[in-house]
Each structure stands twice: as C-alpha cells, then as structure tokens.
Amino acid sequence: MNTDNDQHVERKISHEKIKGFFQLIAVSTFILGAFAVSWALKANKPPLQSSNGAERVIFVEAEEISPAPYHIAFEASGSIESRATVNIVPQVTGRVIYVNEDFYAGGSFKAGETLYEVDPRDFELEVERLDAELARGRTTLNLEQAESGAALSEWRLLNGSKKAPDLVARLPQMEEAKANLKAAQAQLENAKLALERTKFTLPFDGRVIASAITKGQYISQGQSYGSAFDLDSLEVHSSLSDQQLDWLFNADNPEITVNINHLGKDLTYQGYIKRSAALLDSTTRFAQVNFGLKGDVSALIPGIFADIMIKGAEQQEVSLIPASALQKDGKILALTPEMTLKSYTPEIIHNNGSTIAVRGLGGTLNIVTSKLSGAIDGAKVRLTQPENQG
C-alpha cells in the first residue's frame, strides 16, 4: 500500500517539473522575440530629414560685432547725508530777547547771522565794571612807579651810587600792580567775549534741524537746545561693489553725475570723490564711498535719494553684445565662414541688463543673438531671413 502512494507522488512531481520547464521556454522565447522586433525597428528607421530631404539645420539670428575702446559706465544709488551736525549749545546764561525767524526746523541761515540773542544788559554792566577796574589798575601802577622814582631820588641823595634795596625802590609793589593790571585786562576781555556770545552765530552757511529756543525763554549755558548742519558738509553716501570700486579708482578723472528729484524738481550736480572706502563688507562685498557735490546745494536736505552715473576707466578691445547673446552656460556662440557654430567663453567686464561688455573674443565676429538650447560646436546653422524678404 505504501509503495503505490510513493509511486503516485513521484509521478506528480515529475509532471510539475515538465510543466515548469515548458513555461520557462515560453517566457524566454517571448523575451527574445521582443528584442528581435525592437532591433529590427531601429535598424530599419530612416534618419531624420527636413521636409525637402536635406540635412537638418538650426535657424539663428546673428549680429556682426567688432571690438573697440569702451568707457565703463555704471549707475549707483545713494542718499544725501551731512558729514556732521552741530548742537545748539549756549555759551552764556540768560533770557532770550530775540529769535531769528529762520531759526526753526528747516530754516536756513548765513555764516555769522544772529540766530538768537540773550539779554545783554548784565553783560554790558560787567564790561563797564571791569573797564573801571582796569583803569584803577593803571592808576595804581602809575602811583607805584611815581613813588618808586621819588624813593630812588632820595636814596641817591643820601647814598650816592650805592644800589638801592628792592623794598626802597618799591619793586615788589610795582610787580604786584602790574599783575593786578594784567588780571583786570584779562577779566575785561572775558566779559567782552561773554557779551559777544549773547548773540548766537555759527561760522557756516547752514540749515536748522531742530530748535527749542523761543523769545522770553531762560536758557542755561552748556545745555543743548537744537541742532544744525553745515551746507558744505552735504555729500552723497553710496555703496559700491568691489568691481565698481576697481573701475572707479582706476579711472583718471572719472565723470560723476548726481541726479536728484526733490519737491518735484530734477536737480543735477557734478560729483567728485570726497572720501574713499575704508573697508569692504566681508559678506556683501560692498563698501561705502562719499561723493561731494559742486554747485549750490542749499535746496538739499539729508535723507534725499540720489542716482549716481559714473563713467569709469577706458577699456581696450571690448565687444558690446546684446544680453540675449549670452547663452545659459555662460558661453557666446559665433558663426564660422562655413556657417557652423563655435563657442567662446569671454571675460565679462560689465553687464547693464541689456548690453554686455566682454573681452577676449579677438576680432570681428558674427555673434549669435538668439538663445539656443543644447547647441554644440560644429552644428550647422542658417540665418533667419527678415520677414519683409519672405
């Protein structure tokens, strides 16, 4: 009984093996057949041709470009700032009896113009008192000199040519009188200076930033009551890149034009380098440059924005190409006499967004001005015909 079962199992296993073998052969045959069909299709596929059967070419636009001397010109932005502000600090204490009508925020003034005045009467009386003290000092000195002369005359009558002692000659008294006279003169000059300072002036043409002084107010010496700035201290602060700094400082007498729009008026100034960069920001690679302005700047105030046009150094053998000629990989494509492409990787020295100044192209070239994707050296090209030529 067991022998029959064993034979049955063996026959079943053998049958399964034969079935699996035939399935493997079928799958392999299918795969080989698919590869054969694919290879046949590729082998019989005709090459790509244009509709007229000619070799495929790329249509491009091109422009003849020749190198020439070029002045680098670039724009920058900045703002009007004053180099420093001056605090309005009285040098005398007293009550204000006069305030200039322009001595308020935004007002302008001339050098030496009185901005406000403190009541001078106390100071005038002090000058008169010290003037009298000075006169008294002169009188005292004159008396001491007269008494010294009389004492010396009497000494000579009694002692002949023998030298008189200092006390007899009243020399200490005369030295004291001279010292008192000098002190009185100094005090008088100080009082006159204080009297002058009752009228507050500044030694420059300027504009008031802030003022907290009004007529009738009692002000104290040494306290700040506002601020002003010198018009000559106005300058343009601008941040330039390291490449722009190189162009600017390597130029001989660069042309700098500053354009400002303020209160609806367009103002143009000739600028000049006032102070160069002290350091370059390690992160942004920008540095601040201060430009001075030539001409009347009385209409300007700090905080106004300015546009700066700078014409820098002259560069030789520079080609100006349209921005569209710069391909995505940073290369420039040119046409050979055989109407094939040749790529260049020039040095870009300036890019204003519409025109690129490059160096290193050599002589005159027909530069491709249209964007080409995936174009390679040696590819056949044909120029696009203008529309009016059909």
Side-chain angles (χ1 to χ4, degrees):
M1 190 70 178
N2 291 336
T3 301
D4 294 339
N5 289 336
D6 292 340
Q7 291 177 351
H8 177 73
V9 170
E10 288 178 357
R11 285 195 299 270
K12 186 175 181 180
I13 292 173
S14 177
H15 177 73
E16 292 294 334
K17 287 183 178 179
I18 294 172
K19 182 178 178 181
F21 177 75
F22 281 109
Q23 287 179 344
L24 178 62
I25 292 176
V27 171
S28 300
T29 303
F30 177 78
I31 293 174
L32 291 174
F35 274 114
V37 172
S38 175
W39 180 85
L41 290 175
K42 290 183 178 180
N44 295 327
K45 184 178 180 180
L48 291 178
Q49 295 182 346
S50 60
S51 59
N52 58 6
E55 182 182 359
R56 182 177 179 271
V57 296
I58 304 172
F59 287 89
V60 300
E61 297 177 358
E63 181 180 341
E64 186 175 88
I65 304 293
S66 299
Y70 172 70
H71 273 284
I72 294 176
F74 61 95
E75 294 184 5
S77 59
S79 62
I80 304 296
E81 303 292 343
S82 61
R83 185 172 59 253
T85 59
V86 176
N87 290 330
I88 308 301
V89 179
Q91 293 178 280
V92 295
T93 297
R95 191 169 301 282
V96 177
I97 62 171
Y98 165 78
V99 178
N100 190 312
E101 61 181 8
D102 291 321
F103 188 54
Y104 296 99
S108 57
F109 55 89
K110 296 294 184 181
E113 182 178 359
T114 299
L115 300 180
Y116 68 85
E117 183 179 0
V118 171
D119 189 346
R121 290 176 294 177
D122 290 341
F123 301 93
E124 291 170 345
L125 291 173
E126 182 66 8
V127 169
E128 291 180 5
R129 185 185 70 81
L130 292 173
D131 194 32
E133 288 290 334
L134 181 61
R136 181 184 300 172
R138 289 196 185 100
T139 301
T140 301
L141 178 60
N142 290 336
L143 288 173
E144 289 295 340
Q145 288 173 339
E147 290 184 9
S148 174
L152 288 173
S153 296
E154 185 178 354
W155 173 269
R156 292 190 187 98
L157 289 174
L158 298 174
N159 300 283
S161 60
K162 186 178 179 180
K163 183 180 179 182
D166 290 348
L167 288 176
V168 173
R170 300 187 66 82
L171 292 181
Q173 292 85 341
M174 283 195 298
E175 291 299 323
E176 182 182 8
K178 289 178 181 179
N180 290 336
L181 180 61
K182 286 184 178 180
Q185 288 175 330
Q187 291 174 354
L188 177 60
E189 292 302 320
N190 190 54
K192 288 181 178 180
L193 185 59
L195 178 59
E196 291 179 3
R197 288 171 173 171
T198 59
K199 293 183 178 181
F200 186 88
T201 64
L202 289 172
F204 52 77
D205 294 349
R207 189 181 298 277
V208 180
I209 299 175
S211 172
I213 292 180
T214 187
K215 188 176 179 180
Q217 181 181 0
Y218 190 87
I219 59 177
S220 299
Q221 177 183 353
Q223 293 189 13
S224 178
Y225 291 89
S227 58
F229 65 86
D230 184 355
L231 289 177
D232 287 340
S233 72
L234 290 178
E235 54 194 24
V236 182
H237 293 186
S238 179
S239 294
L240 302 181
S241 67
D242 54 351
Q243 187 178 46
Q244 290 173 330
L245 291 172
D246 181 61
W247 294 336
L248 177 62
F249 294 128
N250 285 331
D252 293 329
N253 298 319
E255 296 181 17
I256 303 172
T257 304
V258 180
N259 298 307
I260 300 170
N261 182 280
H262 179 51
L263 299 178
K265 295 182 179 180
D266 292 323
L267 306 173
T268 301
Y269 296 90
Q270 182 181 353
Y272 60 93
I273 301 173
K274 202 168 186 179
R275 291 190 304 282
S276 61
L279 55 88
L280 193 69
D281 189 285
S282 59
T283 303
T284 64
R285 308 304 298 169
F286 276 75
Q288 181 173 290
V289 178
N290 301 316
F291 298 97
L293 301 172
K294 296 181 179 180
D296 182 12
V297 296
S298 59
L300 303 181
I301 59 175
I304 299 176
F305 290 108
D307 294 320
I308 309 163
M309 174 63 72
I310 302 172
K311 189 175 182 181
E314 183 179 78
Q315 305 285 330
Q316 300 298 323
E317 295 295 312
V318 174
S319 301
L320 297 179
I321 64 173
S324 60
L326 186 65
Q327 304 299 322
K328 289 184 178 180
D329 56 2
K331 294 183 178 181
I332 293 173
L333 300 175
L335 303 182
T336 67
E338 295 77 23
M339 296 300 291
T340 60
L341 294 178
K342 182 179 181 180
S343 63
Y344 294 83
T345 306
E347 175 191 0
I348 298 177
I349 61 175
H350 188 219
N351 185 350
N352 63 11
S354 60
T355 303
I356 303 175
V358 301
R359 190 162 45 198
L361 293 182
T364 300
L365 293 175
N366 279 322
I367 302 296
V368 175
T369 59
S370 51
K371 297 289 186 182
L372 299 181
S373 178
I376 60 174
D377 283 7
K380 287 285 186 179
V381 296
R382 183 178 298 172
L383 292 176
T384 302
Q385 295 296 325
E387 293 182 1
N388 58 5
Q389 294 184 9

